[in-house]
Amino acid sequence: MRILITYATTEGQTRKICRFAADRLADRAHTVELLRAADAEGLDVGRFEAAILAGSVHLGKVQPELLDFANENGAALSRIRTLYLQVSAAAAGKDPAEWADLRKIADATERAFGWHPTRTEHVAGAFRFSEYDFFKSMAMRWIASQHGEKLDPHVDKEFTDWTALATVLDEWSAAG
Ligand SMILES: Cc1cc2nc3c(=O)[nH]c(=O)nc-3n(C[C@H](O)[C@H](O)[C@H](O)COP(=O)(O)O)c2cc1C
């Protein structure tokens, strides 16, 4: 299949996730185009048979450039097989209240898309202290401490489960 992967990222983990997805799908003989949603102006989405859209959650919201891309290309995207990857810190845990929030964020995101992805998956991201300013670093350490975790602000911490992600990609690309 000819597959488009488009994403928005703030600290870079969603880009890493999408590069992983691109490599995985290319290894399975798919043709993959990977680009940032902000750079997708003029892209002919009608050329693709499937698409992955990915964005990360910051303060309960996904990047507006992903929503704009999805909405502006809704006619073409709603006709093909799609996978929405929502990257967050909360997806690394099992807290029912946080999972309820993640689902609400995904619902709001899909409403903003204006169409329903074929499949939506929550992917655990990372704490990237190397990308944070002082205030973000303090905020993230405080959030972690609320979950009983003590984080070293000099060390990035990745939560992404690459094996689970590979399974999702294999299932999604083989379905239908
Ligand atoms: C300022 C800030 C706010 C965040 N807000 C949330 C949040 O509301 N819910 C959540 O689950 N994760 C939150 N996160 C965690 C990010 O979703 C996580 O770090 C993710 O890996 C970021 O992906 P990116 O590097 O592609 O931007 C936040 C992270 C930062 C730095």
Side-chain angles (χ1 to χ4, degrees):
M1 279 193 300
R2 195 186 298 271
I3 303 175
L4 169 68
I5 304 179
T6 188
Y7 66 91
T9 186
T10 305
E11 283 97 28
Q13 188 66 14
T14 307
R15 174 170 46 241
K16 186 173 175 182
I17 286 166
C18 287
R19 283 204 183 126
F20 175 89
D23 288 347
R24 181 88 188 176
L25 294 165
D27 282 350
R28 276 149 185 72
H30 296 291
T31 303
V32 182
E33 188 163 332
L34 171 69
L35 87 167
R36 223 173 156 134
D39 296 330
E41 199 186 316
L43 182 78
D44 177 9
V45 177
R47 289 194 295 116
F48 299 93
E49 288 145 289
I52 296 176
L53 276 72
S56 60
V57 178
H58 286 77
L59 304 176
K61 290 198 164 93
V62 170
Q63 290 88 353
E65 63 261 34
L66 187 76
L67 307 183
D68 290 348
F69 169 81
N71 190 266
E72 284 160 17
N73 293 285
L77 288 166
S78 61
R79 274 199 292 271
I80 58 177
R81 191 184 317 174
T82 46
L83 170 63
Y84 168 49
L85 299 177
Q86 181 172 284
V87 178
S88 67
K94 292 193 165 65
D95 186 314
E98 291 194 352
W99 272 94
D101 277 349
L102 287 184
R103 281 189 278 271
K104 268 192 211 154
I105 296 164
D107 287 348
T109 301
E110 291 182 20
R111 274 198 301 278
F113 285 1
W115 49 275
H116 279 293
T118 315
R119 182 166 175 170
T120 292
E121 284 292 329
H122 295 271
V123 181
F127 287 140
R128 291 192 155 195
F129 288 102
S130 52
E131 303 291 328
Y132 300 160
D133 60 19
F134 175 77
F135 295 104
K136 265 194 191 179
S137 178
M138 290 291 284
M140 298 317 284
R141 284 168 70 194
W142 184 79
I143 291 169
S145 74
Q146 296 302 297
H147 291 83
E149 250 198 274
K150 202 169 175 334
L151 291 175
D152 179 346
H154 304 292
V155 182
D156 291 355
K157 188 162 180 172
E158 188 172 85
F159 302 103
T160 311
D161 181 342
W162 301 106
T163 308
L165 179 59
T167 303
V168 167
L169 292 165
D170 292 352
E171 281 175 11
W172 171 79
S173 59

